[in-house]
Amino acid sequence: MLRILPPLVLLALWVWAFIDCLTTSEEDVRYLPKVAWVIIVLLFPLVGSIAWLAAGRNRARSRGRAVPWPSGPTAGFPEYERPGERFVAPDDNPEFLASLKKDNERHEDMLKQWESDLRRREEELRRKDEPEDDPRG
């Protein structure tokens, strides 16, 4: 178990540094271009990861840009803070409800046509099956 622990720690450090390097904005990267840091972290897992964490990222600058915690009645719901049209649930959207009503009326008309067609066909079949009144008798 103890022999497996150091490679696992190295792998975790490498993956964390690699993902951190990829997700860091170009403005927060120090000393080398971001692409160079990615290559260094990939090619030299231990040294590259430590170098990236120690010198590659400007941690003080990225901490200064922290987004303040939202407050107010719409806090945490950015869709309510956007200017312009607000999202409306389908059951509250009058256009959607009108389209449902229109579709429902169209389906009802279609059903009435089918019913009348079925009645007409049943009448025709009854006429064919009924014996004709014999004039002789």
Side-chain angles (χ1 to χ4, degrees):
M1 176 67 183
L2 290 177
R3 287 187 288 183
I4 297 175
L5 193 59
L8 284 178
V9 170
L10 175 64
L11 179 66
L13 174 70
W14 184 48
V15 169
W16 182 46
F18 179 66
I19 291 173
D20 189 44
C21 184
L22 286 177
T23 58
T24 301
S25 67
E26 192 71 42
E27 299 88 37
D28 291 340
V29 176
R30 294 190 301 179
Y31 303 119
L32 293 172
K34 185 175 176 178
V35 175
W37 278 113
V38 170
I39 292 171
I40 289 171
V41 170
L42 278 176
L43 295 180
F44 307 104
L46 180 62
V47 176
S49 298
I50 292 172
W52 166 254
L53 294 174
R57 183 174 179 190
N58 188 358
R59 304 234 181 253
R61 181 175 175 197
S62 63
R63 264 187 253 128
R65 285 190 303 174
V67 177
W69 188 262
S71 61
T74 61
F77 300 100
E79 61 270 11
Y80 290 112
E81 297 170 2
R82 284 186 296 207
E85 189 172 323
R86 191 182 117 202
F87 174 76
V88 179
D91 57 342
D92 293 335
N93 187 343
E95 293 172 10
F96 178 73
L97 294 174
S99 72
L100 286 180
K101 186 175 181 181
K102 189 169 99 175
D103 285 345
N104 192 24
E105 290 171 354
R106 187 173 51 88
H107 289 145
E108 285 179 8
D109 291 341
M110 190 182 310
L111 183 61
K112 287 177 185 175
Q113 288 175 357
W114 288 347
E115 287 176 345
S116 66
D117 187 45
L118 180 63
R119 279 191 215 106
R120 183 184 52 79
R121 289 180 181 187
E122 286 176 346
E123 289 291 324
E124 289 176 2
L125 285 174
R126 276 193 206 116
R127 284 187 207 133
K128 286 182 181 178
D129 289 342
E130 289 179 357
E132 291 182 21
D133 289 336
D134 211 359
R136 291 179 272 162

